[in-house]
Amino acid sequence: MREFLEIEDVNSFMKVSRLSEFIIRLDPFLFVNVYGLIFYLDLTKKDQKEISDLFTSLSDKIIFSTKAEVSTSFKEFLKNKIQEKQN
């Protein structure tokens, strides 16, 4: 089980982000893993100026993901992906 801690203000999220090598963007959220804790920012709660400033400041760390999946193991994940490609 994982804990997800919401950070509401952009400045605090930027402080936490400095402690990590990368930030995962899965719209409308940004996630950062620090010391085993997952912090996130909900972009729908921010105005366009804040989002723009945030992306500019953290552009070298943001990794955009288009999909999130759950699997019981890496082997199971690969098996499912191979089956999808064959169909």
Side-chain angles (χ1 to χ4, degrees):
M1 181 171 280
R2 291 209 88 120
E3 292 80 22
F4 292 84
L5 306 167
E6 183 173 13
I7 297 178
E8 292 193 6
D9 69 281
V10 172
N11 290 331
S12 292
F13 189 81
M14 288 176 68
K15 286 178 188 177
V16 171
S17 298
R18 289 186 195 123
L19 300 172
S20 180
E21 293 293 317
F22 60 89
I23 299 160
I24 298 173
R25 177 181 169 191
L26 186 58
D27 287 338
F29 302 102
L30 292 177
F31 298 94
V32 62
N33 183 346
V34 178
Y35 305 125
L37 297 170
I38 306 294
F39 295 91
Y40 73 95
L41 181 71
D42 184 349
L43 297 174
T44 62
K45 296 178 181 179
K46 304 298 160 212
D47 63 47
Q48 204 56 38
K49 172 78 168 115
E50 285 181 305
I51 293 171
S52 177
D53 291 346
L54 181 68
F55 284 176
T56 300
S57 297
L58 300 173
S59 63
D60 61 326
K61 289 188 172 198
I62 295 176
I63 300 168
F64 185 70
S65 176
T66 57
K67 188 176 181 182
E69 298 181 40
V70 175
S71 188
T72 57
S73 68
F74 186 63
K75 180 180 176 181
E76 189 67 29
F77 175 80
L78 288 176
K79 180 181 166 186
N80 291 339
K81 288 297 175 186
I82 292 168
Q83 285 178 349
E84 286 176 15
K85 295 241 184 245
Q86 292 175 347
N87 291 334

